[in-house]
Amino acid sequence: MRRTLATGLAALVTATALAVTAAAPASAGPGRDRPVRTPSAAQVVAGMQPGWNLGNTLDAVGADETAWGNPRATRELFDAVEDAGFRSVRVPVTFGQRTGPAPDYTVDPALMDRVEEVVDLALDEDLVVLLDVHHDSWMWAHQMPTRHDEVVAQFRATWEQIAERFRDHPRTLLLESLNEPQFAGVDDAAGDVLLDELNRVFHEVVRGSGGGNADRVLVLPTLHTNAGQERLDALAGTIDALDDANLAATVHYYGYWPFSVNVAGGTRFDATALADMTGTFDRVRETFVDQGVPVVLGEYGLLGFDRHTGTIEQGEKLKFFEELGHQARAAGVTTMLWDNGQHLGRTSFAWSDPALFAQISSSWSGRSGVASTDQVFVEPGAATDQTITLQPNGRKFRDLRLDGRQLKKGRDYAISGTALTLHASLLDRLVGDGPTGTRAELFVRYGGGLPWRVEVVAATAPVLQAATGTTADFAVPTAFHGDRLATMEARYADGTNAGPHGWTSYKEYDVTFAPDEDAGRIVLRPAFFAEVTDGAPVTLTFHFWSGRTVTYEVTRTGTEVTGTP
């Protein structure tokens, strides 16, 4: 929806002009010209918060922007993005696939026209736009160590064409040199040197094109857009040397890797995952923000989302996004959510997981209390008191609710500090003798922010059955009985680790195994069997969120697989 009042950077320009006018000396007559300040890079980047990525669209490798399954971007899409509260959009574009040969490296005019059309659609919705050269990083730019002159020539030609096309666009368009830059066959120290050269070429070309590009905010990435201190220091050196007040830095953050993809037992957003996040934002703030260089977190999310958002348990991912929003605000970093189509429906304009989006959007302005879990498993007829640990995040516990009704402290639950104990009598009443599965939803309400949802789940021990199949098609028949699979271990008879990622017994969720509760089975992927020794029995230990474990043995003989409980 187009805003009816000046907003975003337009409002910033207006406010700045008014401030200059107010500060003008009284002797300034009505006809005297008064200067209008251009917003600083820091003000421009701050005005972009929060941001969203038009992922897997113009960056798609294929015939056109629909090649990776998303529809063409429309004005209605950007209207929905703006309505959701976003103030900026990152438009990734892959140019190399539609670029002609040397020496001109001419970008297909039809692509350039479409890129400009999409940029203008977003700008027309009062969204600030960040345009970047995207998958070119691994399609051809990564060859710079062995094809230095050709890569530099193509990079220069690409940016000459982009700069010329957009030189007269408003300051609400920012340009980013290269997405996730990487270089084949060299270490990161050498990669930093190569990236420094490309960033300098980018800066020279864009600034030299004149027009609005003379002082447009330019965004420079670290190598791999990684936030390790050496990578940050290398980019800081480039920015210092360029001595340009209209520069910003960019990194990406997808979390502590074992948690981000659910491997090596990384099922929870625990102290290790938290420390990884805190270290990232501390380094970025100290290296750039505190030195006056604004930072754009050009992409953030969880890597497991590339398959589906269920790779990470719901409560754990909510805690991740709540904390990320808080730390980004504290560090003064602008965030841009990566969305390849798995979050905002490109034609329905509905959020696939409204609770997740509610947590993300709430984190833009304040904190919400969370808890150690959002699941309580109860065995029917054998309910016991269960305690969860509250994480108030500066909020005070208010009450516990069921179906909108306030439960009774003392009778239904007890609260002691951050320990919330659900009494057995309450759990028994909620579960009763009904079917397994979710029986109730409790809501912990804090004195502000979002309530924390806790599912009460009736569950008994899962039962696994024998099966035969092939390495391409094998599944363990499973009666889940209300329980939910968290992770899987795989070991040979001698105790050594089996399957991919041999350094850990805990295998990667969905890549090697995946629960299918509706079909009553646990699928073992071909990727798992591809790295299992022929003829050697493997003991699988399935860990369920209730705390239960169930073992199962599989043996691969050629392409045939047998499995027994």
Side-chain angles (χ1 to χ4, degrees), residues 45 48 51-55 88-92 130 132 134 176 179-180 219-221 225 249-254 281 295-301 333-339:
V45 171
M48 296 169 63
W52 178 85
N53 271 269
L54 181 68
S88 62
V89 60
R90 183 169 178 256
V91 179
L130 173 58
D132 87 288
H134 206 74
E176 177 185 341
N179 174 72
E180 297 183 353
V219 181
L220 306 182
T225 52
T250 185
V251 296
H252 294 173
Y253 188 69
Y254 284 98
F281 281 103
V295 174
V296 177
L297 189 66
E299 296 179 16
Y300 73 95
V333 171
T334 287
T335 60
M336 306 195 81
L337 177 68
W338 177 254
D339 189 350

Side-chain angles (χ1 to χ4, degrees), residues 82-132:
E82 193 270 345
D83 281 348
F86 293 100
R87 298 171 70 184
S88 62
V89 60
R90 183 169 178 256
V91 179
V93 183
T94 300
F95 290 92
Q97 61 177 333
R98 294 175 67 179
T99 295
D104 296 329
Y105 297 107
T106 301
V107 175
D108 182 351
L111 172 62
M112 197 67 81
D113 289 345
R114 177 57 178 160
V115 172
E116 184 176 18
E117 180 183 16
V118 170
V119 167
D120 288 344
L121 288 174
L123 291 173
D124 286 346
E125 293 301 320
D126 288 332
L127 293 163
V128 181
V129 175
L130 173 58
L131 174 65
D132 87 288

Side-chain angles (χ1 to χ4, degrees), residues 150-203:
E150 296 95 325
V151 167
V152 171
Q154 183 169 351
F155 186 77
R156 177 181 292 276
T158 299
W159 271 111
E160 285 174 347
Q161 293 168 80
I162 299 170
E164 176 61 28
R165 178 61 67 107
F166 292 101
R167 68 187 300 275
D168 294 323
H169 271 62
R171 192 169 168 77
T172 45
L173 171 66
L174 292 75
L175 302 176
E176 177 185 341
S177 65
L178 187 64
N179 174 72
E180 297 183 353
Q182 53 193 277
F183 301 101
V186 299
D187 61 19
D188 284 348
D192 285 331
V193 174
L194 296 172
L195 178 58
D196 173 77
E197 181 177 358
L198 290 185
N199 276 334
R200 288 170 183 263
V201 169
F202 164 70
H203 180 266

Side-chain angles (χ1 to χ4, degrees), residues 164-297:
E164 176 61 28
R165 178 61 67 107
F166 292 101
R167 68 187 300 275
D168 294 323
H169 271 62
R171 192 169 168 77
T172 45
L173 171 66
L174 292 75
L175 302 176
E176 177 185 341
S177 65
L178 187 64
N179 174 72
E180 297 183 353
Q182 53 193 277
F183 301 101
V186 299
D187 61 19
D188 284 348
D192 285 331
V193 174
L194 296 172
L195 178 58
D196 173 77
E197 181 177 358
L198 290 185
N199 276 334
R200 288 170 183 263
V201 169
F202 164 70
H203 180 266
E204 171 201 336
V205 167
V206 176
R207 287 287 181 258
S209 63
N213 290 337
D215 62 356
R216 188 180 306 285
V217 177
L218 304 182
V219 181
L220 306 182
T222 60
L223 187 67
H224 312 295
T225 52
N226 177 270
Q229 192 60 57
E230 291 183 356
R231 307 289 75 78
L232 298 176
D233 288 344
L235 179 59
T238 300
I239 291 175
D240 286 346
L242 290 174
D243 192 23
D244 183 334
N246 287 302
L247 297 180
T250 185
V251 296
H252 294 173
Y253 188 69
Y254 284 98
Y256 177 60
W257 183 69
F259 171 70
S260 188
V261 301
N262 193 347
V263 72
T267 56
R268 293 187 180 274
F269 182 60
D270 59 12
T272 302
L274 174 60
D276 184 87
M277 180 185 290
T278 301
T280 296
F281 281 103
D282 283 350
R283 290 190 300 272
V284 166
R285 175 182 52 78
E286 292 166 2
T287 306
F288 291 119
V289 180
D290 288 352
Q291 312 309 316
V293 178
V295 174
V296 177
L297 189 66

Side-chain angles (χ1 to χ4, degrees), residues 24-96:
S27 59
R32 189 175 301 235
D33 290 337
R34 295 180 175 89
V36 176
R37 285 188 194 138
T38 299
S40 69
Q43 289 172 318
V44 170
V45 171
M48 296 169 63
Q49 173 64 12
W52 178 85
N53 271 269
L54 181 68
N56 286 20
T57 304
L58 289 169
D59 56 315
V61 177
D64 61 16
E65 67 193 88
T66 69
W68 285 357
N70 284 319
R72 286 170 62 86
T74 62
R75 183 181 302 279
E76 291 75 19
L77 172 62
F78 293 120
D79 185 9
V81 169
E82 193 270 345
D83 281 348
F86 293 100
R87 298 171 70 184
S88 62
V89 60
R90 183 169 178 256
V91 179
V93 183
T94 300
F95 290 92

